[in-house]
Amino acid sequence: MFGIFQIIVLLLIAAQSYASNENCTLESACTCNLKSAGLLNLAGSGGGLDYIEITSGVYTYRYYPCGVKADWGGVCTIENHPAVCQQTRDGEYYVLGKSNSYEITRAVAKGDNTYFDFLFQDGTSDFINGRRNATVRVMCDIRGSHELKFISESPIINYNFVFMTPKACLYKQPDAPIGNILFIVLMVTLPVGLILYLGIGVGIMACKGERRLGLIPNIGFWIIAPFLFFDGFLFVFSCIPFVRKYLKKTIEEDYEKMPS
Ligand SMILES: *[C@@H]1O[C@H](CO)[C@@H](O)[C@H](O)[C@H]1NC(C)=O
Ligand SMILES: *[C@@H]1O[C@H](CO)[C@@H](O)[C@H](O)[C@H]1NC(C)=O
């Protein structure tokens, strides 16, 4: 039978393998959990309307970082899942790339210069050239403002944008956090300590003239130690009714059986 724990582990594994960019442990059309630098989450970066707009020449562009929340016009509607949309001066609309057809082509952790390249494909079809694509480079802006820039249409019907946002300012953490170091120190000192304890202890006991099992230092304590640990454990959890019931039933017999 599956416990809740197994399900959580399976979900974690499924989520991990979902990232297609090698530098993201987890990703979506507006998130990337960047290894050792933290989570990029563009939710809310478009303000209340959840898009950022820029006009360049005769076109107006809208970028919906975490999906479109309201229809704009033409094909730029919720049901088409646009990530980037274009409006011409004549009121025509084109989807330049869809949020459900995305790829994070690059995710680079470089402090103030951290950036992510989101490629949105499957835009409105062009008669000659095929489907429109849009690349949005999401870059850290240390000044703390959100800004969309239209860079170019290059090559034809491939649209390039830069989105400056403080949400992309992620900083690499040191590789070995203090917890890891403590763990390693413990893993090394525990066995060494045990060997020293036994070695010196056995030496002392041998000098005292002990033989066989008597050579092990504090043998009396070590024989009852498992019982002591178990009782200590039960005592800690004795506030739980189930454990208290079990304790009441067994504690007297156990203590009578225990070697002293
Ligand atoms: C992964 O990160 C490294 C170092 O920051 C970078 O050089 C590389 O281009 C990144 N790869 C991808 C696929 O984003
Ligand atoms: C869209 O982008 C992909 C990946 O860069 C590319 O292979 C494809 O040719 C592009 N589509 C068009 C119509 O240029």
Side-chain angles (χ1 to χ4, degrees):
M1 213 190 84
F2 270 48
I4 190 81
F5 182 69
Q6 278 93 334
I7 291 171
I8 288 171
V9 168
L10 280 178
L11 281 178
L12 279 177
I13 292 168
Q16 299 268 320
S17 55
Y18 182 54
S20 62
N21 185 295
E22 59 180 8
N23 293 339
C24 308
T25 57
L26 199 81
E27 65 168 58
S28 74
C30 70
T31 63
C32 160
N33 194 10
L34 196 52
K35 271 175 203 161
S36 78
L39 179 69
L40 168 81
N41 184 358
L42 294 178
S45 56
L49 297 166
D50 260 332
Y51 65 76
I52 309 96
E53 196 175 270
I54 180 77
T55 297
S56 176
V58 295
Y59 300 116
T60 298
Y61 302 92
R62 278 187 190 179
Y63 167 48
Y64 305 93
C66 283
V68 59
K69 302 282 193 305
D71 296 349
W72 189 13
V75 289
C76 294
T77 56
I78 295 173
E79 69 175 316
N80 284 333
H81 307 287
V84 184
C85 257
Q86 182 194 50
Q87 184 197 45
T88 69
R89 209 154 42 182
D90 310 327
E92 283 178 78
Y93 294 86
Y94 298 94
V95 174
L96 303 188
K98 294 187 172 185
S99 61
N100 57 2
S101 183
Y102 83 93
E103 202 183 311
I104 300 176
T105 53
R106 206 138 229 107
V108 178
K110 269 203 299 196
D112 289 352
N113 298 313
T114 297
Y115 69 88
F116 304 81
D117 287 344
F118 284 86
L119 170 68
F120 301 103
Q121 294 177 276
D122 217 10
T124 309
S125 215
D126 177 83
F127 211 60
I128 301 158
N129 300 295
R131 288 184 169 274
R132 288 167 172 80
N133 279 353
T135 298
V136 179
R137 174 164 290 193
V138 174
M139 289 191 82
C140 161
D141 185 340
I142 45 169
R143 296 163 310 154
S145 53
H146 303 284
E147 188 191 353
L148 185 66
K149 292 178 189 164
F150 173 77
I151 304 299
S152 64
E153 182 189 336
S154 166
I156 190 157
I157 71 161
N158 285 260
Y159 298 81
N160 303 291
F161 300 87
V162 167
F163 178 47
M164 304 295 294
T165 171
K167 291 192 179 235
C169 300
L170 306 170
Y171 300 95
K172 244 189 156 64
Q173 306 297 313
D175 278 341
I178 195 78
N180 281 1
I181 294 167
L182 275 180
F183 181 73
I184 292 164
V185 166
L186 261 182
M187 289 311 283
V188 173
T189 53
L190 264 184
V192 170
L194 200 68
I195 290 164
L196 281 179
Y197 171 76
L198 277 178
I200 295 170
V202 167
I204 292 171
M205 297 311 256
C207 284
K208 286 189 185 167
E210 294 277 3
R211 290 296 172 264
R212 291 171 193 275
L213 271 184
L215 279 173
I216 299 172
N218 311 101
I219 183 131
F221 169 76
W222 290 116
I223 287 173
I224 62 163
F227 297 96
L228 291 178
F229 285 134
F230 185 58
D231 284 344
F233 176 79
L234 285 182
F235 179 73
V236 167
F237 291 101
S238 62
C239 56
I240 302 167
F242 165 75
V243 177
R244 192 159 348 129
K245 221 160 106 194
Y246 174 80
L247 259 180
K248 227 170 154 182
K249 245 196 301 182
T250 58
I251 203 156
E252 291 128 39
E253 312 153 32
D254 274 5
Y255 269 95
E256 270 152 34
K257 273 190 254 147
M258 216 182 4
S260 45

